[in-house]
Amino acid sequence: MLARRRRTYLLMMSGCLVLFVSAWAVVRLWSVPVAVGMCVVAMVIPPVAAMMANRRGPDDRWWDDPSGDPQSDEWWDELDGKRRRPPG
């Protein structure tokens, strides 16, 4: 999962750079408004890429990983109904 998110982020950011560089190196010679439009699209890509790279998939189990503190983990498991503390 992590590799796919990294690849997606890399592709989106590469596309952003290609849009920006080509807008001002090539496209502006023919049409400045189109070059500005390309830069606006390139401006939107980085936040979207960051959101996609940081999202968690359904099989990424980050919320219920053990914290390392046995008492805290036991308490959270009891609250979540995973393991019941024996009466006593």
Side-chain angles (χ1 to χ4, degrees), residues 17-37:
L17 287 173
V18 166
L19 276 173
F20 186 75
V21 170
S22 66
W24 294 113
V26 178
V27 177
R28 73 172 170 89
L29 300 173
W30 288 281
S31 175
V32 172
V34 172
V36 171

Side-chain angles (χ1 to χ4, degrees), residues 1-2 4-5 51-64:
M1 287 297 174
L2 181 62
R4 186 173 68 214
R5 288 195 309 255
M51 286 186 279
M52 290 184 71
N54 289 319
R55 74 183 166 103
R56 299 289 183 178
D59 53 345
D60 291 335
R61 300 180 54 133
W62 58 272
W63 61 88
D64 60 353

Side-chain angles (χ1 to χ4, degrees), residues 58-80:
D59 53 345
D60 291 335
R61 300 180 54 133
W62 58 272
W63 61 88
D64 60 353
D65 285 342
S67 67
D69 179 19
Q71 185 177 7
S72 174
D73 292 340
E74 180 182 335
W75 184 74
W76 281 109
D77 287 343
E78 182 181 346
L79 282 176
D80 291 338

